[in-house]
Amino acid sequence: MKINGNAIRPGNVVEHKGGLWVAVKIQHTQPGKGGAYLQVELKNLRDGSKLNERFRSSESVERVRLEQKPHQFLYEDGELLTFMDTSNYEQVSIAKDMVGERAAFLQDGMDVEIEFHEDSPLTVILPEQVVLEITDTEPTVKGQTAASSYKPAILENGIRVMVPPFCGSGEKIVVNTETSEYLKRAD
């Protein structure tokens, strides 16, 4: 399906220069002279190479439709992540670097979506939010709560996030899996 160059969003898979690329980051740029364009950081789904491209609204790109199937994360074995198709119980192993830094958010039994292109797995879509426990953080300093200051905290999966001063060790919080940002306390 053809889409305008300025309609690309992070996570979209496009066919460009003979390969399949996923949009990692986008930035709308409107220079003082000339037309606006979209600066897109693309990552090749086959070999992981990166490319920065500019797309104008007058250009069109081929957006690739991928088949999404629900899977459940089973376990990690070295550099491989193993998932089970929840409809037919078949197992799929995917290289850890295909998921990238977000692999740290995977938890046993977590439901994810895996996108396939012609029966080969391409990307893993994690839930938008996960609940994690804070394992280590600085103690709250009295009087520091007047300003909206955040303090560093290390979560059970080893990820480092900034949390409000009222959060302490052993507390469960909700974290955004795409931005690795604190959202709220877990209920």
Side-chain angles (χ1 to χ4, degrees):
M1 169 173 95
K2 293 266 187 202
I3 60 170
N4 282 345
N6 65 352
I8 298 172
R9 298 288 169 256
N12 285 167
V13 177
V14 295
E15 199 171 306
H16 183 65
K17 294 186 177 180
L20 290 178
W21 301 82
V22 63
V24 180
K25 293 180 188 169
I26 64 166
Q27 179 180 350
H28 291 278
T29 306
Q30 192 164 0
K33 197 173 189 180
Y37 60 88
L38 190 65
Q39 183 77 31
V40 182
E41 182 181 316
L42 298 169
K43 182 178 177 187
N44 191 306
L45 289 172
R46 300 283 182 218
D47 62 17
S49 61
K50 290 193 174 182
L51 176 71
N52 278 311
E53 286 287 326
R54 290 182 177 181
F55 294 101
R56 299 197 180 279
S57 60
S58 58
E59 298 176 50
S60 64
V61 291
E62 186 69 33
R63 182 170 174 200
V64 179
R65 286 275 177 218
L66 301 175
E67 184 182 358
Q68 291 185 348
K69 294 181 182 175
H71 282 71
Q72 189 176 54
F73 176 64
L74 295 179
Y75 59 90
E76 178 180 344
D77 183 25
E79 289 300 308
L80 287 179
L81 301 170
T82 303
F83 299 88
M84 178 185 66
D85 188 329
T86 55
S87 60
N88 59 15
Y89 306 108
E90 288 181 11
Q91 292 186 7
V92 172
S93 290
I94 296 176
K96 192 175 183 179
D97 62 346
M98 188 184 278
V99 181
E101 296 171 1
R102 298 177 317 144
F105 289 112
L106 286 169
Q107 298 168 340
D108 290 343
M110 178 183 273
D111 291 324
V112 298
E113 294 279 331
I114 297 182
E115 292 184 320
F116 290 84
H117 181 259
E118 297 172 355
D119 292 330
S120 91
L122 291 178
T123 58
V124 177
I125 302 168
L126 299 178
E128 204 172 291
Q129 304 172 354
V130 292
V131 175
L132 293 166
E133 185 177 324
I134 298 172
T135 56
D136 186 36
T137 188
E138 298 169 3
T140 304
V141 177
K142 193 170 185 170
Q144 194 178 24
T145 56
S148 64
S149 60
Y150 278 64
K151 61 183 182 179
I154 297 174
L155 304 176
E156 62 185 281
N157 61 358
I159 298 252
R160 188 179 164 105
V161 297
M162 299 302 282
V163 296
F166 56 78
C167 291
S169 294
E171 214 171 318
K172 291 194 179 278
I173 61 169
V174 178
V175 180
N176 183 319
T177 57
E178 287 185 23
T179 61
S180 299
E181 291 178 341
Y182 165 88
L183 294 175
K184 62 182 182 178
R185 279 181 169 164
D187 297 333

